[in-house]
Amino acid sequence: MNHGVHFMAAIAFVWNERRQNKTTTRAKVIPAASEEQLLLVELVRSISVMRAETVIQTVKEVLKQPPAIAKDKKHLSLEVCMLQFFYAYIQRIPVPNLVDSWTSLLILLKDSIQLSLPAPGQFLILGVLNEFIMKNPSLENKKDQRDLQDVTHKIVDAIGAIAGSSLEQTTWLRRNLEVKPSPKIMVDGTNLEPDVEDMLSPATETSNITPSVYSVHALTLLSEVLAHLLDMVFYSDEKERVIPLLVNIMHYVVPYLRNHSAHNAPSYRACVQLLSSLSGYQYTRRAWKKEAFDLFMDPSFFQMDASCVNHWRAIMDNLMTHDKTTFRDLMTRVAVAQSSSLNLFANRDVELEQRAMLLKRLAFAIFSSEIDQYQKYLPDIQGK
C-alpha cells in the first residue's frame, strides 16, 4: 500500500511483456488480453486491500506521472499498457464495486483527457467509459449524470479529432476538408496492433508515429460504440444535447465518404458503418440527413465495395422511412429529368447519363425499403 504506484507500474510493464504474439490475428481496435495478461488481473483482484477504488486511484497516479522503470524500452508507453490492464480489470470486477467507485473513475476519466495520451490510450479511455455504461446504464444522482454526459462529450470529441487527423483543409479560407494521402495502420484483423514499443509513443518523442495513422482505428471504434453509448448516456428528454456533438463528428466523417479511392477504402468502410449505426436512432437524423442525401446523389456514390452496400441500404431506409419528404424529393427529381425535353445546347449524353443516374438511385431507394413500402408510388414511377 505504501508503494502502490510502483506496484501498478510494474504490473503495466509486465502486461506488455505478456502480450500476445504479433502474428496472432486481432480484429478489434482495443486488443483482447492474453491468458497470461488476465492472470495479472486476477492477481490484483486477489489482493484484499486493493479494492476497486484503490486500483482506480492508483492507476490515475501512474497515468499522471509514470515511474521511470522502462528506460531501456525507448518507445514503450507505460500509460497505454496501464490502461490496457485497467480496461481488462474493469471488465472483470462486479458491477456494485464499479458503481461504488464512480467518483474515482470520473476523476480518472477527466484527468486522462488532459494528459495528451497517445491515440491508443485515448481509445482505451473510451473503452473504459463504454464498459461502465454497459454495466451501469443510469446514475441516480442528477449531478453524476450530468458529469457523465460532460466527460462523454469530451472523450468523444477527442476521438473525433483523431478520426479527422487524416483530413486537410482544401484552402485556408474555407473549412472544406479532404482526405490527404498518408500512412495508416489498417484495421484488417491481422495488422491491427503491432508492438506497443514501436507504435505508442507520443508525437513529441522520437517516434515518427503521428495521430493520423490511427484515424481508421478511431473511426472503427466510433462505429462500434458511439450510437449506443450516446443513447444510453443522454436520456429521452436530453437527446437534443447529442446533436451538436454528432454534427462535429459528421464534419470529419463526410470527407471520407466523398472519397472513393482505394487508398481511402478502410476509412470509407468505417464511416459508412458509423453512419449506419447512427441512422438507427431517429433523434439523430438532423445531424446527418442532409449530408447522407447529398452523398447518395453524388455521381460516384456506387463506387464502393460490396461490404458497404448493406450499410447504405440501412441508411437510406432509415432516412426515407422516417422522412417522407426525402423520397418525394427524389421522385420529383426523377420526374423532372424524365419529362423535360433535351436542351439543344446541352450534351445529349450528359443528360441521358443524368436521367440514368436518378433512376438508378430510385431503384436503390426501393431496394433498400421494406416489401411494398412504396407501392402507392408505383403509378407515378410507371408514368414517368
Side-chain angles (χ1 to χ4, degrees), residues 242-253 286-288 291:
V242 176
I243 301 302
L245 176 57
L246 290 181
V247 168
N248 287 341
I249 296 295
M250 287 301 298
H251 179 65
Y252 297 125
V253 167
R286 274 177 39 216
W288 57 266
E291 288 78 6

Side-chain angles (χ1 to χ4, degrees), residues 8-245:
M8 291 304 294
I11 290 285
F13 185 84
V14 177
W15 181 273
N16 184 53
E17 298 291 304
R18 298 291 181 266
R19 67 191 180 278
Q20 290 180 327
N21 189 294
K22 284 200 290 186
T23 59
T24 304
T25 298
R26 302 179 179 98
K28 292 289 184 182
V29 174
I30 298 176
S34 68
E35 290 186 15
E36 287 195 18
Q37 287 175 327
L38 291 178
L39 285 175
L40 292 171
V41 175
E42 294 310 311
L43 186 154
V44 173
R45 286 187 60 196
S46 70
I47 302 173
S48 58
V49 293
M50 292 286 286
R51 296 180 299 112
E53 188 164 356
T54 305
V55 171
I56 292 171
Q57 291 172 349
T58 311
V59 167
K60 175 176 70 76
E61 293 304 316
V62 174
L63 296 178
K64 287 176 73 173
Q65 196 165 2
I69 65 171
K71 288 179 180 175
D72 58 322
K73 305 264 186 179
K74 191 159 118 183
H75 297 311
L76 173 69
S77 175
L78 198 69
E79 300 96 312
V80 173
C81 298
M82 188 78 271
L83 284 169
Q84 288 177 343
F85 162 83
F86 185 60
Y87 177 71
Y89 176 83
I90 287 290
Q91 288 179 310
R92 286 162 180 79
I93 61 174
V95 175
N97 293 15
L98 186 57
V99 175
D100 291 344
S101 308
W102 161 244
T103 303
S104 296
L105 181 60
L106 175 65
I107 294 171
L108 184 150
L109 294 173
K110 282 183 173 179
D111 287 357
S112 298
I113 298 167
Q114 310 297 326
L115 291 177
S116 300
L117 292 170
Q122 297 188 52
F123 300 155
L124 286 157
I125 291 297
L126 180 58
V128 168
L129 173 65
N130 189 55
E131 280 298 316
F132 178 80
I133 297 303
M134 295 286 283
K135 289 189 171 187
N136 184 55
S138 61
L139 294 167
E140 294 179 3
N141 186 298
K142 284 192 174 181
K143 183 183 180 302
D144 287 343
Q145 188 64 27
R146 185 53 62 94
D147 287 339
L148 175 61
Q149 292 170 355
D150 289 344
V151 78
T152 299
H153 198 298
K154 290 175 181 175
I155 292 172
V156 170
D157 266 346
I159 303 298
I162 298 170
S165 60
S166 287
L167 303 173
E168 60 186 358
Q169 284 187 226
T170 52
T171 64
W172 67 275
L173 284 172
R174 303 174 67 185
R175 283 193 74 203
N176 289 356
L177 298 174
E178 64 181 19
V179 180
K180 60 185 177 185
S182 61
K184 295 184 180 74
I185 298 175
M186 299 304 178
V187 185
D188 60 4
T190 56
N191 185 27
L192 182 58
E193 178 158 316
D195 245 357
V196 175
E197 300 161 325
D198 34 50
M199 82 170 192
L200 297 181
S201 57
T204 52
E205 295 183 5
T206 56
S207 171
N208 293 322
I209 299 294
T210 58
S212 65
V213 301
Y214 292 108
S215 58
V216 178
H217 288 66
L219 292 166
T220 302
L221 184 59
L222 289 174
S223 72
E224 291 172 355
V225 308
L226 182 62
H228 183 258
L229 176 69
L230 295 181
D231 192 54
M232 299 292 281
V233 170
F234 293 87
Y235 296 160
S236 56
D237 58 341
E238 300 170 318
K239 300 300 187 188
E240 286 296 312
R241 296 189 65 202
V242 176
I243 301 302
L245 176 57

